[in-house]
Structure formats: C-alpha cells, structure tokens
C-alpha cells in the first residue's frame, strides 16, 4: 500500500469529526500496519469518514479507543447518524499511525 490511500474523502462535517454511521463487523480483521484498526466479528465499528477514488474502498473508524482504516465490505451498517456527505481532499495527516 502506498503512503496515501486516496486523494479524496467523504465526511459528515468539514472537520470529519462527526459520526457518519455505525455497524457490526462481518468478520475478524487484522490490518497490515498501524494505520488500520483491528476488530473481531460482531464488534461495533463507528465510521467517521470514507475514502473514495481507489479500487479498494477503505473507511476510517473506531473500535473502542482504537482508530484506523478498514475495508468497507467488512462492515454491516445498522445505524446512520448523518445522511450529509461532504467531499473533501485528504491530508497527509490522514495517513499517519494513530
């Protein structure tokens, strides 16, 4: 994976600090590096923004106090907090380890 996963992202607010949705993990996930969040099947995952423009769609979210990226296909959405989606450019700081 490259340094920057995507050039653009979708957020619920200009700071990407508001929750977009919540879901349940469809299966266990262990990311390739510290930029990813790990989770177990059935855990609640909270989504803050969605990367767009690349072949594998990654979303950014939290599980407990951990934050990072995960493939969107691993999440079964069960609650939307916002239907508003702003398209914004990504920043270099979006891709550092948390």
């Amino acid at each position: 994976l490259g340094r920057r996963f995507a050039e653009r992202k979708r957020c619920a607010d200009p700071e990407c600090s508001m929750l977009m949705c919540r879901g349940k993990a469809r299966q266990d996930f262990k990311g390739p590096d510290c930029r990813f969040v790990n989770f177990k099947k059935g855990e609640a995952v909270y989504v803050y923004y969605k990367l767009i423009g690349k072949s594998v769609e990654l979303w950014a979210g939290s599980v407990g106090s951990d934050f990072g990226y995960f493939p969107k296909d691993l999440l079964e959405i069960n609650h939307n907090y916002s239907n508003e989606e702003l398209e914004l450019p990504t920043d270099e700081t979006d891709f550092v380890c948390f």
Side-chain angles (χ1 to χ4, degrees), residues 38-56:
N38 300 321
F39 49 74
K40 300 266 186 236
K41 180 179 180 176
E43 280 191 300
V45 181
Y46 295 87
V47 179
Y48 287 90
Y49 60 91
K50 304 170 180 179
L51 297 181
I52 52 176
K54 295 284 185 187
S55 56
V56 176

Side-chain angles (χ1 to χ4, degrees), residues 1 5 17-19 22 29 33-34 37 39 45 51-52 54-55 63 75 77 80 91 95-96 98:
L1 291 168
F5 302 144
S17 61
M18 286 176 48
L19 278 171
R22 174 186 76 224
F29 175 70
D33 63 37
C34 60
V37 64
F39 49 74
V45 181
L51 297 181
I52 52 176
K54 295 284 185 187
S55 56
V63 176
L75 190 65
I77 295 173
N80 282 307
D91 188 275
F95 306 104
V96 295
F98 297 104

Side-chain angles (χ1 to χ4, degrees), residues 21-88:
C21 59
R22 174 186 76 224
K24 190 165 62 172
R26 294 180 193 266
Q27 66 187 58
D28 292 359
F29 175 70
K30 179 139 176 54
D33 63 37
C34 60
R35 295 175 291 179
F36 290 81
V37 64
N38 300 321
F39 49 74
K40 300 266 186 236
K41 180 179 180 176
E43 280 191 300
V45 181
Y46 295 87
V47 179
Y48 287 90
Y49 60 91
K50 304 170 180 179
L51 297 181
I52 52 176
K54 295 284 185 187
S55 56
V56 176
E57 286 197 47
L58 295 174
W59 288 0
S62 63
V63 176
S65 61
D66 297 328
F67 185 89
Y69 294 100
F70 61 92
K72 74 168 190 140
D73 297 343
L74 299 183
L75 190 65
E76 181 182 314
I77 295 173
N78 52 28
H79 185 78
N80 282 307
Y81 292 100
S82 171
N83 291 323
E84 177 114 5
E85 287 194 4
L86 304 171
E87 192 169 311
L88 302 164

